[in-house]
């Protein structure tokens, strides 16, 4: 039986102000899964390559496996799935690593059995995988990774996501410090109630991001990248956060916020030359706090999870 290869891109959860409600897929790193049908029922992960440190190979404990199992059960197939995985996104970095794995698993399982489900219908299996691995059923990363571009979680009950498309010319700069911050820990830092003033500020910012995308106004989009809701509670978990954010804005970035649950911090620059300067300043900001970081420049990935070409997602830094 032939192997099918799929690629699932990295994503920025929350896309700044939209906690659990907005997400955006980005170009660059991603996870790959090779999958093929096998006669025995179940999901069998044969190997995990790349940035695989500490990821369990048991399919019931692994994001790829959990999502793939959900799809197979929904399809009611008797045969099973064999998988090989190439992790291109570091875990616990704030770049949607577990989401990409879940999307790769669900997408591959569906494709191998003839693509009976439209991609939107794969979303619940990916969210279930997020819940199983991080303890909470948030959908912003998986929806962005699956559908591409900017996505809005319209509702959690029932689970519905709206794809808003991609905006050309938005230049992201993502600084990933070399330490891991688990989503579980980062969510654990959040309060149960939020101040009205912060809620109002974030409503404006979410509207700016969405309006910027729909009006194709990169500046408006970038100016919406600010967060008053979760940043005060999560920034203490990221050494140097305020230095790095101030450095990005001083260098001309339009907006700056924590990427997903962190510790990555992302900014929107005014173009590629500005992005290089912003990236250098962000790296220096982390260095002032004794942290090395990886700087990635990216644009929106408008395709989402897809059949892979051999070159995609080969980053292993
Ligand atoms: N919306 C989630 C959070 C994304 O911020 O916790 C996790 O990557």
């Amino acid at each position: 039986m032939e192997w099918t290869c799929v690629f699932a891109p990295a994503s920025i959860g929350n896309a700044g102000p939209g906690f659990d409600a907005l997400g955006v897929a980005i170009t660059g790193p991603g996870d790959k899964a090779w999958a093929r049908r096998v006669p025995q029922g179940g999901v069998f992960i044969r190997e995990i390559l790349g940035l695989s440190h500490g990821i369990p190979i048991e399919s019931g404990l692994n994001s790829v496996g959990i999502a793939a199992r959900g799809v197979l059960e929904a399809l009611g197939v008797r045969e099973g799935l064999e998988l090989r995985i190439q992790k291109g996104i570091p875990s616990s970095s704030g770049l949607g690593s577990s989401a990409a794995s879940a999307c790769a698993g669900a997408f591959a399982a569906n494709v191998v059995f003839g693509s009976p489900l439209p991609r939107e219908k794969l979303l619940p299996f990916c969210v279930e995988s997020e819940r199983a691995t991080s303890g909470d059923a948030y959908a912003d990363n998986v929806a962005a990774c699956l559908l591409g571009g900017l996505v809005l979680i319209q509702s959690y009950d029932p689970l519905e996501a709206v794809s808003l498309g991609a905006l050309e010319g938005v230049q992201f700069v993502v600084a990933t410090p070399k330490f891991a911050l688990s989503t579980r820990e980062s969510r654990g830092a959040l309060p149960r109630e939020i101040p009205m003033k912060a809620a109002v500020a974030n409503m404006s910012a979410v509207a700016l991001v969405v309006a910027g995308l729909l009006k194709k106004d990169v500046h408006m989009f970038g100016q919406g990248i600010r967060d008053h809701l979760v940043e005060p509670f999560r920034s203490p978990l990221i050494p140097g956060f305020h230095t790095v954010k101030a450095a990005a804005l001083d260098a001309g970035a339009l907006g700056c916020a924590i990427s997903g649950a962190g510790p990555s911090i992302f900014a929107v620059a005014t173009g590629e030359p500005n992005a290089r300067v912003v990236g250098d300043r962000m790296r220096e900001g982390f260095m002032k706090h004794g942290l090395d970081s990886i700087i990635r420049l990216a644009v929106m990935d408008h395709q989402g999870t897809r059949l892979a070409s051999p070159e995609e997602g080969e980053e292993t830094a």
Side-chain angles (χ1 to χ4, degrees), residues 31-55:
D31 284 0
K32 269 186 184 174
W34 286 260
R36 68 178 175 183
R37 204 187 279 219
V38 289
Q40 189 188 349
V43 173
F44 309 97
I45 300 175
R46 300 302 183 204
E47 65 180 349
I48 311 176
L49 302 170
L51 302 171
S52 58
H53 180 70
I55 297 175

Short mmCIF file of all heavy atoms in Angstrom, two decimals, residues 31-55:
data_model
loop_
_atom_site.label_atom_id
_atom_site.label_comp_id
_atom_site.label_asym_id
_atom_site.label_seq_id
_atom_site.Cartn_x
_atom_site.Cartn_y
_atom_site.Cartn_z
N ASP A 31 4.40 20.17 10.67
CA ASP A 31 4.56 18.74 10.91
C ASP A 31 4.14 17.98 9.66
O ASP A 31 3.22 18.39 8.95
CB ASP A 31 3.67 18.28 12.07
CG ASP A 31 4.25 18.69 13.42
OD1 ASP A 31 5.33 19.33 13.45
OD2 ASP A 31 3.62 18.36 14.44
N LYS A 32 4.81 16.87 9.44
CA LYS A 32 4.44 15.99 8.33
C LYS A 32 4.03 14.64 8.89
O LYS A 32 4.59 14.18 9.89
CB LYS A 32 5.64 15.75 7.42
CG LYS A 32 5.80 16.72 6.30
CD LYS A 32 6.94 16.24 5.43
CE LYS A 32 7.22 17.22 4.34
NZ LYS A 32 8.42 16.82 3.59
N ALA A 33 3.08 14.02 8.23
CA ALA A 33 2.73 12.63 8.58
C ALA A 33 2.65 11.82 7.29
O ALA A 33 2.05 12.28 6.31
CB ALA A 33 1.39 12.58 9.32
N TRP A 34 3.27 10.66 7.31
CA TRP A 34 3.11 9.69 6.23
C TRP A 34 2.15 8.63 6.75
O TRP A 34 2.29 8.17 7.89
CB TRP A 34 4.44 9.01 5.89
CG TRP A 34 5.41 9.86 5.14
CD1 TRP A 34 5.64 9.83 3.79
CD2 TRP A 34 6.30 10.86 5.66
NE1 TRP A 34 6.60 10.75 3.45
CE2 TRP A 34 7.02 11.39 4.57
CE3 TRP A 34 6.54 11.37 6.93
CZ2 TRP A 34 7.98 12.39 4.73
CZ3 TRP A 34 7.49 12.37 7.10
CH2 TRP A 34 8.20 12.87 6.00
N ALA A 35 1.19 8.29 5.94
CA ALA A 35 0.16 7.35 6.42
C ALA A 35 -0.17 6.33 5.33
O ALA A 35 -0.11 6.64 4.14
CB ALA A 35 -1.10 8.13 6.79
N ARG A 36 -0.50 5.12 5.78
CA ARG A 36 -1.04 4.14 4.83
C ARG A 36 -1.98 3.19 5.57
O ARG A 36 -1.89 3.01 6.78
CB ARG A 36 0.07 3.38 4.12
CG ARG A 36 0.88 2.47 4.99
CD ARG A 36 1.90 1.73 4.15
NE ARG A 36 2.78 0.92 4.97
CZ ARG A 36 3.79 0.23 4.52
NH1 ARG A 36 4.08 0.23 3.24
NH2 ARG A 36 4.53 -0.50 5.34
N ARG A 37 -2.85 2.62 4.77
CA ARG A 37 -3.86 1.69 5.28
C ARG A 37 -3.21 0.36 5.65
O ARG A 37 -2.32 -0.10 4.93
CB ARG A 37 -4.85 1.47 4.13
CG ARG A 37 -6.22 1.05 4.50
CD ARG A 37 -6.95 0.71 3.22
NE ARG A 37 -7.45 1.90 2.55
CZ ARG A 37 -8.64 1.96 1.95
NH1 ARG A 37 -9.42 0.90 1.94
NH2 ARG A 37 -9.02 3.05 1.34
N VAL A 38 -3.64 -0.23 6.76
CA VAL A 38 -3.16 -1.58 7.10
C VAL A 38 -4.38 -2.45 7.44
O VAL A 38 -5.43 -1.93 7.85
CB VAL A 38 -2.17 -1.57 8.31
CG1 VAL A 38 -0.84 -0.96 7.90
CG2 VAL A 38 -2.75 -0.85 9.52
N PRO A 39 -4.27 -3.78 7.25
CA PRO A 39 -5.45 -4.65 7.46
C PRO A 39 -5.96 -4.65 8.90
O PRO A 39 -7.16 -4.73 9.13
CB PRO A 39 -4.95 -6.04 7.06
CG PRO A 39 -3.67 -5.84 6.32
CD PRO A 39 -3.10 -4.53 6.75
N GLN A 40 -5.04 -4.54 9.87
CA GLN A 40 -5.45 -4.62 11.29
C GLN A 40 -6.05 -3.28 11.74
O GLN A 40 -5.49 -2.21 11.45
CB GLN A 40 -4.22 -4.94 12.13
CG GLN A 40 -4.55 -5.26 13.57
CD GLN A 40 -3.28 -5.39 14.41
OE1 GLN A 40 -2.17 -5.45 13.88
NE2 GLN A 40 -3.46 -5.42 15.71
N GLY A 41 -7.17 -3.33 12.45
CA GLY A 41 -7.80 -2.10 12.92
C GLY A 41 -6.95 -1.37 13.95
O GLY A 41 -6.17 -1.99 14.68
N GLY A 42 -7.06 -0.05 14.00
CA GLY A 42 -6.31 0.75 14.98
C GLY A 42 -5.34 1.70 14.30
O GLY A 42 -5.24 1.73 13.07
N VAL A 43 -4.64 2.48 15.12
CA VAL A 43 -3.65 3.44 14.61
C VAL A 43 -2.29 3.05 15.19
O VAL A 43 -2.16 2.90 16.41
CB VAL A 43 -4.02 4.89 15.00
CG1 VAL A 43 -2.91 5.85 14.63
CG2 VAL A 43 -5.33 5.30 14.33
N PHE A 44 -1.33 2.89 14.31
CA PHE A 44 0.00 2.41 14.73
C PHE A 44 1.06 3.43 14.30
O PHE A 44 1.27 3.63 13.12
CB PHE A 44 0.28 1.04 14.10
CG PHE A 44 -0.84 0.07 14.34
CD1 PHE A 44 -1.81 -0.13 13.37
CD2 PHE A 44 -0.94 -0.60 15.55
CE1 PHE A 44 -2.87 -1.00 13.59
CE2 PHE A 44 -2.00 -1.48 15.78
CZ PHE A 44 -2.98 -1.67 14.80
N ILE A 45 1.69 4.07 15.29
CA ILE A 45 2.74 5.03 14.97
C ILE A 45 4.07 4.28 14.98
O ILE A 45 4.46 3.69 15.99
CB ILE A 45 2.76 6.19 15.99
CG1 ILE A 45 1.41 6.92 15.96
CG2 ILE A 45 3.89 7.17 15.66
CD1 ILE A 45 1.27 8.01 17.02
N ARG A 46 4.73 4.26 13.84
CA ARG A 46 5.97 3.48 13.71
C ARG A 46 7.19 4.27 14.13
O ARG A 46 8.14 3.72 14.69
CB ARG A 46 6.15 3.00 12.26
CG ARG A 46 5.02 2.11 11.78
CD ARG A 46 4.86 0.88 12.67
NE ARG A 46 3.81 0.00 12.14
CZ ARG A 46 3.14 -0.86 12.87
NH1 ARG A 46 3.36 -0.95 14.18
NH2 ARG A 46 2.22 -1.62 12.33
N GLU A 47 7.23 5.58 13.82
CA GLU A 47 8.38 6.39 14.25
C GLU A 47 8.01 7.86 14.28
O GLU A 47 7.08 8.29 13.58
CB GLU A 47 9.60 6.16 13.35
CG GLU A 47 9.44 6.59 11.93
CD GLU A 47 10.70 6.34 11.10
OE1 GLU A 47 11.77 6.01 11.67
OE2 GLU A 47 10.62 6.46 9.87
N ILE A 48 8.73 8.60 15.11
CA ILE A 48 8.58 10.06 15.17
C ILE A 48 9.97 10.64 14.98
O ILE A 48 10.86 10.42 15.81
CB ILE A 48 7.99 10.53 16.52
CG1 ILE A 48 6.74 9.73 16.89
CG2 ILE A 48 7.65 12.02 16.45
CD1 ILE A 48 6.17 10.09 18.27
N LEU A 49 10.13 11.39 13.91
CA LEU A 49 11.44 11.98 13.60
C LEU A 49 11.40 13.47 13.88
O LEU A 49 10.34 14.05 14.13
CB LEU A 49 11.76 11.74 12.12
CG LEU A 49 11.78 10.28 11.66
CD1 LEU A 49 11.87 10.21 10.14
CD2 LEU A 49 12.95 9.55 12.31
N GLY A 50 12.56 14.12 13.77
CA GLY A 50 12.62 15.58 13.91
C GLY A 50 12.55 16.00 15.36
O GLY A 50 13.19 15.39 16.23
N LEU A 51 11.76 17.03 15.64
CA LEU A 51 11.70 17.63 16.98
C LEU A 51 10.75 16.81 17.85
O LEU A 51 9.67 17.25 18.24
CB LEU A 51 11.23 19.08 16.85
CG LEU A 51 12.12 19.94 15.95
CD1 LEU A 51 11.49 21.30 15.69
CD2 LEU A 51 13.49 20.12 16.57
N SER A 52 11.20 15.59 18.16
CA SER A 52 10.28 14.61 18.75
C SER A 52 10.51 14.39 20.23
O SER A 52 9.92 13.51 20.83
CB SER A 52 10.44 13.28 18.01
OG SER A 52 11.79 12.86 18.10
N HIS A 53 11.37 15.20 20.83
CA HIS A 53 11.80 14.96 22.20
C HIS A 53 10.60 14.81 23.17
O HIS A 53 9.76 15.70 23.28
CB HIS A 53 12.69 16.11 22.67
CG HIS A 53 13.17 15.93 24.07
ND1 HIS A 53 14.09 14.96 24.42
CD2 HIS A 53 12.83 16.56 25.23
CE1 HIS A 53 14.30 15.03 25.71
NE2 HIS A 53 13.55 15.98 26.24
N GLY A 54 10.52 13.66 23.83
CA GLY A 54 9.51 13.46 24.87
C GLY A 54 8.10 13.19 24.36
O GLY A 54 7.17 13.09 25.15
N ILE A 55 7.92 13.05 23.04
CA ILE A 55 6.57 12.82 22.53
C ILE A 55 6.28 11.31 22.52
O ILE A 55 7.04 10.53 21.93
CB ILE A 55 6.42 13.41 21.10
CG1 ILE A 55 6.61 14.93 21.16
CG2 ILE A 55 5.08 13.05 20.48
CD1 ILE A 55 6.61 15.61 19.83
#
